[in-house]
Amino acid sequence: AIEGRRAVVFNPLPWKRDAVVAIEGLPFLARDLPPCGYKSYKNYASSGSKPLPARNTLENAFFKLTVDPARGGITSLVDKRTGCELVEQNGDAVLGQYLYEQFSGNEVLAFVGDYTNYGPGRGVKRGAAVTAASMYNSGNQFGKPGMPTNVTYSATYAGNATVQLTKNELGDCIILNMPASGRNPDPVALTIQLHNEQPYIDFEWRIVNKTPDRIPEGGWFCFPFNIRNPSWRLGRRGAVPDPSKDIVE
């Protein structure tokens, strides 16, 4: 037996692979994981990350990406194996950009009218006028009975970022720190991790100390890929199904 602490990593997929995991909050590349099995690692300590001079591009053997701090995301992502540009160049958003929405009473009543039924005298219909009575009748589970009636719909894209560049055990990383803007009350941070040895990119966005709000809201990650006729796969334990045909209704 080998003395000392070890990290155990489980692979739920039915093939051998390498995988990035976080151990004690630091990234680690677990190599040669057996299919539907586990492997223990002794030498998993990470040196953390160190700062690099800020720039707007990252590149490895697989991808070259360019970020636009003003727009808060990736404006170009080139697959170097094929030469293909993976970001739609004529979209409203860029890749990884954060979109914050607030919804009006119209959206609330339309949703409740389509998806709920509270019985006689408690239901609302799509297209009902937004009034204190109709908001009350929207119900307590999905509706917003105490919501103000003068709220308008809004959509705010995060941007105007400051750029940080770091290097860790996995590769280079760009962090875009974006201030609150428009109706979005909170700063947003987007981390883009490019891996030295893996043909994929990790995205992570963070909101610290989210401001409570009684207005219905949503935060979305934008993925305007330059892909025609795409196919989809879901990562599930033991398999990677195609949701268009492999899920039983």
Side-chain angles (χ1 to χ4, degrees):
I2 300 176
E3 299 294 331
R5 299 178 64 191
R6 302 180 69 83
V8 177
V9 181
F10 174 67
N11 175 21
L13 298 178
W15 54 79
K16 180 180 178 180
R17 66 182 182 123
D18 300 338
V20 175
V21 296
I23 299 178
E24 298 177 343
L26 296 174
F28 169 71
L29 180 60
R31 300 179 184 276
D32 300 322
L33 289 167
C36 294
Y38 69 90
K39 186 175 180 179
S40 63
Y41 299 86
K42 179 176 177 58
N43 299 316
Y44 60 84
S46 172
S47 59
S49 61
K50 63 179 182 179
L52 297 174
R55 62 179 187 271
N56 294 342
T57 60
L58 286 182
E59 187 171 1
N60 64 6
F62 306 102
F63 301 106
K64 181 177 180 180
L65 66 84
T66 303
V67 300
D68 181 355
R71 300 188 70 186
I74 297 174
T75 53
S76 175
L77 177 61
V78 176
D79 186 334
K80 295 171 64 175
R81 295 162 295 182
T82 64
C84 292
E85 170 60 67
L86 300 179
V87 178
E88 173 60 54
Q89 297 297 297
N90 298 312
D92 294 331
V94 295
L95 188 66
Q97 190 170 18
Y98 177 66
L99 169 62
Y100 175 79
E101 290 183 294
Q102 278 194 335
F103 299 98
S104 71
N106 289 319
E107 283 83 33
V108 172
L109 295 183
F111 175 84
V112 173
D114 284 345
Y115 293 103
T116 66
N117 180 8
Y118 291 99
R122 291 289 292 169
V124 294
K125 295 181 179 180
R126 171 178 280 275
V130 178
T131 64
S134 65
M135 296 309 300
Y136 174 77
N137 286 332
S138 68
N140 293 314
Q141 184 177 5
F142 291 104
K144 300 292 179 181
M147 178 177 164
T149 59
N150 61 346
V151 177
T152 58
Y153 170 81
S154 70
T156 303
Y157 289 99
N160 298 317
T162 58
V163 180
Q164 293 177 268
L165 186 64
T166 64
K167 177 180 287 292
N168 56 32
E169 297 290 330
L170 305 178
D172 291 345
C173 183
I174 281 183
I175 304 171
L176 301 177
N177 294 294
M178 290 157 279
S181 61
R183 297 256 288 267
N184 175 22
D186 301 298
V188 178
L190 171 65
T191 300
I192 305 165
Q193 175 76 60
L194 200 60
H195 298 265
N196 289 333
E197 303 178 40
Q198 301 294 316
Y200 61 84
I201 300 171
D202 280 331
F203 293 84
E204 176 189 77
W205 60 263
R206 302 185 308 279
I207 299 174
V208 179
N209 297 324
K210 172 73 176 70
T211 302
D213 199 326
R214 61 191 296 198
I215 307 303
E217 59 186 351
W220 316 101
F221 217 6
C222 299
F223 287 104
F225 285 115
N226 181 33
I227 299 174
R228 304 295 178 261
N229 301 315
S231 61
W232 305 96
R233 298 294 184 270
L234 295 176
R236 290 292 183 265
R237 182 170 297 176
V240 182
D242 179 345
S244 68
K245 62 181 181 180
D246 295 335
I247 297 177
V248 177
E249 296 183 359

